[in-house]
Amino acid sequence: MPSYELSVNNAIHKVEVDAAMPLLWVLRDFVGLTGTKFGCGMAQCGACTVHLDGNPIRSCSYPIASAAGKKITTIEGISENVDHAIQKAWIAMQVPQCGYCQSGQIMSAVALLKRIPKPTDADIDSAMQGNLCRCGTYTRIRSAIHLAAGDLQQKPFRP
Amino acid sequence: MKQLALNRRKFISLSGLAGAGLVLGLSSKAHEARQVANLSFAGESFELTPYVVIEKNGTIIIYNTKPEIGQGVYQSIPAIIAEELEVSLDQVTIKQSGGEKKFGEMQFAGGSMSVRSEYENLRKVGASGREMLIAVASEGWGVPSGECYASAAKVFHKPSGKSVSYAALAEKAAALPVPQAPKLKDAKDFKILGKPSPRPDVPLKSSGKAIFGIDVSE
């Protein structure tokens, strides 16, 4: 079995797994990070989105052999205390419903804001269209991204 | 150790009833079934009912026994209990039950029934806890329980203004029998129910910390 050194959230993990094993399986079953979800298993839904050198990829369909040597960031790695700007906006807008797709949504949104700090609705739709949400939280996702980008003075949800 | 007040036959009959609760509607008898499990002490924490555990350090744990699947029971079930228990949601640590028998056989969700079928029972759970805590406080002060009221995880003595925290009362309260017919609050006095509040599951679901079925390996 080949051996790989992975950089996950700035920590090095050594794993011995089949070269074709998807990165998602390695993250969940070998590294023990279960925040990233298995959705469709064929890069169609976005639930498994993580960053590879800062770019969003679908980890369910990404062989581990191609991920080795690159910087992998998962939902667990974007903040210590759920205080990334995107997470704060997610909470303020009460985005998640069932929550299963949200790790992937957030990773795509974080990558979007890095690329386009002040995205338009069209930018958001284009960047986020690969992340499906069965609960239909899309409008809240869009509002939260605007809120995180700081260009929307939406009143956050408060009792 | 507390004495087991129910015999095996009654336990089985109540357990069976709880299992059929979705069809029958939960009766007061099914509420009684919850008390079957009011027996265990875990170190420095005290179980008022299976749903309500108060630790010596003051942590108030309320269990949600329904699967959270986006419908919001992680908030609504504890909120119903908290309302009657007289604790604010900020003072509560919500925990998810894991199928333990003491929570009964209704640990599933379906048909939009979770709140509709359990509303009355969960209020009784919270109200029972409140009455047990007030009973201990009033006895300690040597005053009638009618002169006491509960608010924000404390019991107050109205005439004197004295107060005592739930944490200080929990051990003795957990040793009391659970009141069968606790007095429920008037809806006009609700502080939590019917008012919007941020969902406690949202931070968990925005950080990968929420545990889904696929994340459980043992």
Side-chain angles (χ1 to χ4, degrees), chain B residues 58-194:
Chain B
T59 305
I60 298 168
I61 299 162
I62 297 184
Y63 280 89
N64 168 39
T65 58
K66 302 291 184 185
E68 166 58 50
I69 50 173
Q71 82 280 48
V73 286
Y74 193 74
Q75 176 182 52
S76 57
I77 300 292
I80 296 168
I81 296 172
E83 178 69 67
E84 292 284 352
L85 187 63
E86 289 294 357
V87 293
S88 71
L89 288 178
D90 300 344
Q91 295 174 303
V92 168
T93 301
I94 299 170
K95 285 194 180 174
Q96 184 74 32
S97 75
E100 297 89 343
K101 282 187 176 157
K102 65 177 176 177
F103 293 110
E105 296 178 10
M106 299 296 284
Q107 295 176 68
F108 61 90
S112 300
M113 290 298 287
S114 292
V115 168
R116 279 192 288 163
S117 67
E118 300 273 16
Y119 180 67
E120 200 77 12
N121 280 308
L122 293 169
R123 287 182 64 193
K124 283 184 189 166
V125 165
S128 298
R130 166 177 31 89
E131 290 193 355
M132 290 151 83
L133 291 156
I134 288 178
V136 173
S138 63
E139 198 188 314
W141 288 325
V143 301
S145 61
E147 291 183 358
C148 301
Y149 68 96
S151 178
K154 282 182 181 174
V155 177
F156 293 83
H157 180 231
K158 220 177 201 170
S160 68
K162 278 186 291 197
S163 70
V164 57
S165 73
Y166 281 6
L169 302 167
E171 183 166 8
K172 281 186 178 167
L176 295 178
V178 180
Q180 288 300 299
K183 192 172 182 310
L184 300 182
K185 287 170 69 172
D186 193 319
K188 73 172 167 40
D189 299 323
F190 282 172
K191 297 166 188 162
I192 300 170
L193 301 184

Side-chain angles (χ1 to χ4, degrees), chain A residues 28 37 87 94 97-98 159, chain B residues 70 196 199 205-206 212 214-215:
Chain A
R28 289 182 55 87
K37 300 305 178 205
Q87 289 174 308
Q94 297 277 291
Q97 197 171 315
C98 93
Chain B
R199 289 173 53 167
K205 290 172 177 176
S206 302
F212 291 81
I214 198 172
D215 303 325

